């Protein structure tokens, strides 16, 4: 199957040698997003604002691929401080409806650009 590269100006441009997402058949693999404002490429302030920006960016990439959060089968969230789990969990809950996708939340020492939260997704469309 051919790979289709997915890109949208409504999410931050890649800050390294990767694509925003890659679609193969009906599966879409979204790269991790951090709390960068796509217009300025500057980090938004605070864990709540960063988490909202992360989910907004992931939604934009999912839409560019022809999907939505309803098509998400797996999400991985990376936090530099697991004390922020509750805040991020509530924001995620506002973005997804039941049945929720599978999820892993991982505590990490550091994220690019000093981000506090990062997330990536896998979609299955159709």
């Amino acid at each position: 199957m051919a790979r289709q590269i997915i890109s949208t100006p409504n999410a931050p441009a890649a800050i390294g040698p990767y694509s925003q997402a890659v679609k193969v058949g009906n599966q879409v693999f979204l790269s991790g997003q951090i709390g960068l404002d796509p217009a300025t490429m500057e980090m938004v302030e605070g864990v709540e604002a960063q988490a909202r920006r992360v989910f907004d960016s992931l939604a934009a990439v999912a839409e560019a691929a022809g999907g939505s959060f309803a098509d998400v089968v797996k999400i991985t969230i990376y936090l530099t401080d697991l004390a922020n789990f509750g805040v991020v969990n509530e924001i995620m809950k506002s973005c997804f409806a039941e049945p929720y996708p599978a999820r892993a939340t991982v505590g990490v020492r550091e994220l690019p650009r000093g981000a506090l939260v990062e997330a990536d997704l896998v979609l299955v469309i159709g």
Side-chain angles (χ1 to χ4, degrees):
M1 274 187 228
R3 295 182 322 156
Q4 178 185 354
I5 303 304
I6 307 298
S7 182
T8 177
N10 297 323
I15 58 173
Y18 61 90
S19 301
Q20 288 176 332
V22 177
K23 185 175 185 178
V24 180
N26 67 340
Q27 297 179 48
V28 186
F29 302 87
L30 280 70
S31 293
Q33 289 287 335
I34 58 177
L36 293 175
D37 180 313
T40 65
M41 293 299 288
E42 297 293 324
M43 188 69 65
V44 297
E45 292 293 323
V47 69
E48 186 173 342
Q50 286 187 26
R52 289 189 190 287
R53 182 69 255 162
V54 164
F55 285 108
D56 287 348
S57 295
L58 289 168
V61 177
E63 184 178 316
S68 72
F69 280 165
D71 302 306
V72 174
V73 296
K74 176 72 165 75
I75 180 169
T76 305
I77 299 172
Y78 308 90
L79 296 171
T80 58
D81 185 347
L82 288 173
N84 293 323
F85 179 84
V87 171
V88 175
N89 202 48
E90 287 303 311
I91 293 167
M92 181 184 161
K93 219 161 109 178
S94 73
C95 296
F96 292 87
E98 292 187 42
Y100 298 118
R103 179 180 83 181
T105 302
V106 182
V108 298
R109 184 170 158 248
E110 195 173 11
L111 289 168
R113 303 261 180 113
L116 303 172
V117 59
E118 179 173 1
D120 60 60
L121 303 175
V122 177
L123 307 166
V124 176
I125 300 173

